[in-house]
Amino acid sequence: MAKQVVPEGARRRRRPTRGGTVLSEEIIVRTALRVLREHGSTGLTARRLGAALGADPSTLYRYFAGMDDLARAIGDELMGRALDSWTATGDWRTDLRALGRAIHASYLAHPQAAVLTASRVTGRPREIAVDETILGILRGAGLPDAVAVRVYHAFIDQSLAFAALDAGSLALAEEARAGDEEMWHSTYARLPAESHPNIAATAHLLARYMPHSAYPVALEILLDHTAAQLRRGRDAHGTGG
């Protein structure tokens, strides 16, 4: 059973930790990101995090209801960092492209944390701010609400799905990741055209592109679809464009 979080006003420790730090949610989340980087997505425990903070593990429950609550806060932090790095231009396509890439990059900067949090809905303020921004771009572009929500759904799930997929690769040990990438040369490139004509014809291209993320291509496909939805709506109302 999750422990009850101490109310906001009572959270701050009266005394610094052994390392001289006065704890806060921000410091705990930042330290958790470091623990994840060092120990992987399964290595984040209250005991290990407490040791990194120089505090008793039970202190964490003054700030978070449990480790799952902390995971949500980490996801919220990654979303917030993406939004902080993004600047609106007023052009819907430019803005969506830049925000999608910012989300993807924010998660890939912390691949172990991405593996842990990309599939979560945090319900926290910074994630909500990202969602509000995306919907605002789509509705501001002129999409009807039902279409805007469908595109939003595809956009955010696509961004996070590729973040999780690409982060999973980055989180592998270097030897394992190199072995996966070499497979395109050692196995696929050697398949005979008689039995695998399509792979044989494109093997050199597969070896070039497959080790890299397909997210930029997938994002452009979604943006093309969104542009088509906008044109369809304008044509239906006789507004041209």
Side-chain angles (χ1 to χ4, degrees):
M1 181 177 178
K3 299 182 180 180
Q4 185 174 0
V5 179
V6 174
E8 183 73 28
R11 289 183 186 181
R12 183 174 292 275
R13 287 170 54 96
R14 295 180 182 275
R15 294 178 293 103
T17 65
R18 293 189 296 273
T21 301
V22 176
L23 293 183
S24 66
E25 282 195 10
E26 180 182 359
I27 289 173
I28 293 172
V29 168
R30 191 165 62 237
T31 304
L33 286 170
R34 176 165 57 84
V35 171
L36 283 165
R37 184 170 59 249
E38 294 172 355
H39 299 283
S41 58
T42 61
L44 181 62
T45 64
R47 182 178 299 277
R48 185 169 277 150
L49 183 54
L53 290 163
D56 188 277
S58 64
T59 305
L60 301 176
Y61 298 103
R62 296 177 63 85
Y63 300 87
F64 301 99
M67 295 303 290
D68 189 67
D69 190 29
L70 174 58
R72 293 174 189 271
I74 293 169
D76 191 55
E77 174 68 15
L78 296 180
M79 277 289 183
R81 292 184 182 190
L83 192 58
D84 290 345
S85 69
W86 172 83
T87 302
T89 68
D91 176 77
W92 74 264
R93 184 164 187 145
T94 299
D95 289 346
L96 271 185
R97 180 189 296 113
L99 185 53
R101 289 183 175 180
I103 292 170
H104 185 253
S106 179
Y107 278 79
L108 260 60
H110 299 277
Q112 295 81 9
V115 170
L116 180 67
T117 66
S119 63
R120 306 304 303 274
V121 179
T122 75
R124 284 174 167 261
R126 303 182 83 184
E127 178 188 80
I128 291 172
V130 170
D131 295 340
E132 175 70 13
T133 299
I134 298 167
L135 286 166
I137 293 170
L138 295 170
R139 296 179 75 238
L143 288 175
D145 286 352
V147 179
V149 168
R150 289 199 298 271
V151 173
Y152 154 77
H153 186 188
F155 176 85
I156 196 63
D157 277 13
Q158 181 189 73
S159 301
L160 292 174
F162 272 100
L165 177 67
D166 296 336
S169 178
L170 290 176
L172 289 173
E174 180 63 31
E175 183 179 356
R177 185 166 64 252
D180 284 357
E181 293 179 0
E182 177 58 25
M183 203 70 67
W184 297 105
H185 297 279
S186 63
T187 299
Y188 281 80
R190 297 180 180 179
L191 292 172
E194 292 77 14
S195 58
H196 299 83
N198 299 303
I199 293 176
T202 60
H204 63 294
L205 296 172
L206 291 170
R208 180 189 305 173
Y209 292 115
M210 292 305 293
H212 304 287
S213 176
Y215 178 63
V217 174
L219 178 59
E220 290 303 320
I221 292 172
L222 179 58
L223 294 175
D224 286 343
H225 166 79
T226 305
Q229 294 292 309
L230 283 167
R231 287 194 298 272
R232 187 174 305 162
R234 289 166 183 159
D235 290 344
H237 289 86
T239 55

